[in-house]
Amino acid sequence: MSSLPIVKVAAAHAAPVFLDRRATAEKAVSLIREAAGHGAELIVFPESYIPAFPVWAALWAPIHNHDLFEAMVEHSVDVPGPEVVAIANEARRLGVFVSIGISECSAVSVGCIWNSNLLIGDRGELLVHHRKLMPTFYEKLVWAHGDGAGLRVASTRLGRIGALICGENTNPLARYALMAQGEHLHISSWPPLWPTRPPRGGGNYDNVAANRLRVGAHCFEAKAFGVACAGFMDRRMRDFLVDRDVGVARIVDETPRAVSLFVDPTGATVGEWRQDEEGLVYAELDLDRCIEPKQFHDVVGYYNRFDVFDLTVTRERPRPASWVDRDPGTPVMLSDDPAA
């Protein structure tokens, strides 16, 4: 007798409309409709899908990238903002859940942006708003540090859903924080490519091997299903980078592309997977399969020593200042000119 649902999930192995937040949000809505039409109840998008992943930070020194940083800020999105609202409205209309990576604006700074992930519910509500705790390597030149407020697992009719962004899936404490909330389904989002070396001489980062290893390890330890959704570099994005500097053509063309795939609670790959072409990939995940492996290793249950180990997670969203003066600062009219 089933106690947990069977969930059909779609991973959007998709390219953004490069550095265009409005057009990318419209493309996301179109993909949500397509996936829902094929029976998907949860649709997952890649890291920083809106407006793009800033791969240029790996290609050129920051002194050459000021215009690209400004473009990234211009096309980052507010939460809530019109792009997020449009996606939430579509989720509500279709009765589906959506996980989407965004570059997020700050309400108090014109230049502060975060690498964020939103989990939107089937009623259009924002279930989890997570900011990547630590930008990885050259991402530090683009995004600010996140916080622990989004280290939350959402309890939904599809099961308990958690998400981490890219390199956070290497952080055992961040992963354990989600395991400790009874995660059934773990979302990990990834960029389309992640250059670390010029192709000559070898040793570049292998997205496929690294991501499969990390997702498989988390699912094996959590006894949860995994949805790994990576971005896709289309011709528009590739040509933009190469037209800016033809010297990066080999790096862009020969850096391994990331893969989108599904993993079961044993760490094995299940369902479809995609790497070299754009599109939606699907899997049906029977969450009852999370139960049996808990007999073997339940790291948030019997297979731990809580008298030996103690983890405290601060789930707060920092503010730039705390104001003691609660006066709203209503302007005082000083002019006595009746025509003023």
Side-chain angles (χ1 to χ4, degrees):
M1 180 178 178
S2 176
S3 58
L4 293 170
I6 297 173
V7 182
K8 186 168 185 178
V9 181
H13 191 76
V17 181
F18 189 64
L19 287 179
D20 187 329
R21 65 183 181 187
R22 180 176 298 176
T24 303
E26 291 171 355
K27 182 173 180 177
V29 167
S30 177
L31 288 166
I32 292 166
R33 289 174 184 162
E34 180 182 347
H38 285 83
E41 297 174 273
L42 169 64
I43 301 95
V44 178
F45 287 87
E47 177 181 16
S48 191
Y49 184 65
I50 305 174
F53 182 80
V55 67
W56 58 80
L59 303 177
W60 304 293
I63 59 172
H64 301 302
N65 293 344
H66 298 306
D67 60 324
L68 293 175
F69 179 75
E70 290 179 1
M72 189 71 170
V73 169
E74 179 185 354
H75 286 275
S76 293
V77 301
D78 294 313
V79 181
E83 295 79 18
V84 173
V85 169
I87 292 165
N89 285 342
E90 196 65 19
R92 178 177 55 82
R93 188 181 74 83
L94 297 170
V96 298
F97 294 78
V98 176
S99 172
I100 188 161
I102 62 167
S103 184
E104 179 193 351
C105 297
S106 167
V108 299
S109 170
V110 295
C112 178
I113 53 177
W114 294 282
N115 182 353
S116 300
N117 194 84
L118 309 179
L119 179 61
I120 297 168
D122 57 353
R123 295 178 296 176
E125 72 275 38
L126 182 57
L127 298 177
V128 182
H129 176 187
H130 176 55
R131 293 172 179 164
K132 189 174 183 180
L133 293 168
M134 179 63 68
T136 309
F137 193 16
Y138 44 75
E139 294 172 7
K140 295 181 179 72
L141 300 171
V142 178
W143 286 306
H145 293 181
D147 53 67
L151 289 175
R152 300 178 186 275
V153 169
S155 181
T156 76
R157 64 177 176 82
L158 304 183
R160 300 184 65 83
I161 304 172
L164 292 174
I165 303 167
C166 193
E168 293 184 313
N169 292 279
T170 314
N171 186 325
L173 300 182
R175 296 193 300 104
Y176 184 82
L178 299 189
M179 294 182 204
Q181 297 173 70
E183 192 180 40
H184 299 129
L185 203 160
H186 180 74
I187 294 167
S188 57
S189 55
W190 310 89
L193 72 167
W194 210 69
T196 57
R197 287 176 177 268
R200 59 184 179 275
N204 210 332
Y205 195 83
D206 187 340
N207 259 322
V208 177
N211 296 357
R212 181 178 283 147
L213 177 65
R214 288 182 283 193
V215 176
H218 181 81
C219 291
F220 179 80
E221 292 171 9
K223 311 308 179 192
F225 280 93
V227 184
C229 185
F232 180 79
M233 176 175 281
D234 62 4
R235 175 60 61 176
R236 173 175 175 161
M237 181 176 177
R238 184 264 179 201
D239 288 350
F240 176 93
L241 298 169
V242 173
D243 288 348
R244 186 178 176 93
D245 176 5
V246 70
V248 303
R250 283 195 64 203
I251 299 174
V252 170
D253 292 340
E254 297 181 26
T255 296
R257 297 303 191 256
V259 66
S260 294
L261 52 82
F262 305 91
V263 175
D264 74 9
T266 72
T269 302
V270 295
E272 304 176 49
W273 67 288
R274 184 161 295 194
Q275 182 181 21
D276 294 326
E277 61 181 84
E278 185 173 17
L280 291 161
V281 286
Y282 300 91
E284 287 193 350
L285 310 179
D286 182 356
L287 299 191
D288 262 348
R289 292 182 57 197
C290 297
I291 299 172
E292 180 182 318
K294 288 281 190 177
Q295 295 180 95
F296 315 141
H297 315 100
D298 186 357
V299 298
V300 295
Y302 82 91
Y303 205 70
N304 211 326
R305 286 289 303 277
F306 303 114
D307 57 329
V308 176
F309 303 110
D310 182 21
L311 175 64
T312 299
V313 180
T314 302
R315 295 199 304 193
E316 294 179 358
R317 187 133 286 165
R319 297 178 297 171
S322 296
W323 306 104
V324 175
D325 182 0
R326 303 303 181 186
D327 186 337
T330 304
V332 177
M333 182 60 70
L334 298 176
S335 173
D336 58 1
D337 182 353

